[in-house]
Amino acid sequence: METLSCVHQYPFATLKELGGCPLRGHWGEKVFGNDNPIVLELGCGKGEYAVGMGRLYPDKNFIGIDIKGARMWTGAKEAETEGLNNVAFLRTSIHLLPSFFAPGEIAEIWITFPDPQMKKVNKRLTGTHFMSIYSEVLRPDGMIHLKTDSPFLYAYTSEMLRHNGLSPEMATDDLYASELNAVVPPIKTFYEQQWLSRGLTSKYIAWKLPGGIASSLSEPEVDIEPDTYRSFGRGTLQGF
């Protein structure tokens, strides 16, 4: 990871020594050499979305973020080999986003196939805890995108928005049978293709966070049926 120029790693000790991340507020200038919109892929894993969108949209900059470097290395190596100057990777916790990005520095956030965290709402990447974090770095008109195979997470996110008076800009519980398929980037991760081959549908929802609303967000009090297939190994799905 340390040999790849597109990878940025700042352990706590380094951040303390530097007095914070020196790239905060300067990613466009110091990393990408332009002022194009910056898009984050959170929990990027192998970085398939960051790299795929970097290829499709040269007029935007993409940063894949994950805490696990072993997985991230795959996408970082691809970006480096292909010379994708609009793709970078940051190894850190999502909780620390405000330490790495200035207010309004981020134009869009993509959350692709995260763990739905059915028992731990504060770890749910579309929960109100993380909405507050995203609001600190996202533009007032910035979009948040969720793509998931989880009926639970899709239902929860839809209910969280409704409960807080927010309307999705786009939403479907079956992306590839929807007209939104022509709008959403045509990227299928290895993980997504596995679930599609086993009969699950990909769900997609996108929304905006109005300025100042994050502090007033609250969790919906609603029971949502869990994803029973997640009780099984990845090679076996209930009902198949």
Side-chain angles (χ1 to χ4, degrees):
M1 291 286 281
E2 292 180 355
T3 66
L4 300 175
S5 62
C6 66
V7 174
H8 303 272
Q9 303 182 97
Y10 293 91
F12 287 115
T14 303
L15 285 175
K16 185 176 181 180
E17 180 182 341
L18 296 174
C21 177
L23 297 176
R24 186 176 186 269
H26 303 285
W27 284 85
E29 168 196 351
K30 295 184 177 180
V31 175
F32 300 110
N34 59 55
D35 58 359
N36 292 339
I38 297 175
V39 181
L40 303 184
E41 182 195 2
L42 303 183
C44 69
K46 295 180 181 180
E48 292 161 289
Y49 248 79
V51 172
M53 290 195 292
R55 294 176 182 134
L56 290 171
Y57 307 109
D59 56 343
K60 293 183 179 181
N61 301 318
F62 300 90
I63 304 175
I65 297 178
D66 208 303
I67 197 66
K68 296 184 178 180
R71 295 187 303 188
M72 187 188 297
W73 180 87
T74 301
K77 185 67 175 177
E78 278 188 58
E80 193 94 346
T81 301
E82 294 183 26
L84 293 175
N85 296 325
N86 64 331
V87 178
F89 289 86
L90 173 63
R91 187 179 178 186
T92 190
S93 166
I94 296 172
H95 287 93
L96 298 178
L97 288 183
S99 297
F100 290 91
F101 302 100
E105 191 168 11
I106 303 305
E108 295 178 59
I109 289 175
W110 277 84
I111 307 168
T112 52
F113 298 93
D115 185 329
Q117 296 290 349
M118 290 182 283
K119 294 183 179 180
K120 300 176 181 178
V121 67
N122 280 345
K123 289 189 175 183
R124 212 170 287 159
L125 291 185
T126 60
T128 57
H129 170 70
F130 280 100
M131 291 301 106
S132 295
I133 294 173
Y134 305 155
S135 70
E136 292 190 48
V137 302
L138 199 60
R139 291 180 183 176
D141 62 342
M143 191 87 80
I144 301 173
H145 308 260
L146 169 69
K147 196 176 179 188
T148 180
D149 63 273
S150 167
F152 173 89
L153 187 60
Y154 180 77
Y156 163 78
T157 304
S158 300
E159 184 59 26
M160 184 276 293
L161 294 175
R162 188 203 65 76
H163 174 71
N164 289 287
L166 299 173
S167 299
E169 301 287 322
M170 296 175 281
T172 176
D173 62 0
D174 191 352
L175 176 60
Y176 298 112
S178 162
E179 60 184 16
L180 291 180
N181 186 33
V183 178
V184 177
I187 301 168
K188 293 180 182 177
T189 66
F190 174 78
Y191 177 61
E192 179 183 10
Q193 290 180 64
Q194 280 190 320
W195 290 122
L196 288 172
S197 69
R198 290 169 176 146
L200 292 174
T201 62
S202 289
K203 298 117 178 71
Y204 170 76
I205 185 168
W207 67 97
K208 295 180 179 181
L209 284 179
I213 197 176
S215 60
S216 64
L217 294 177
S218 62
E219 287 293 331
E221 295 183 9
V222 60
D223 290 327
I224 300 173
E225 184 177 354
D227 300 332
T228 54
Y229 68 89
R230 290 181 181 273
S231 299
F232 295 77
R234 286 195 177 185
T236 306
L237 293 183
Q238 187 175 20
F240 288 79

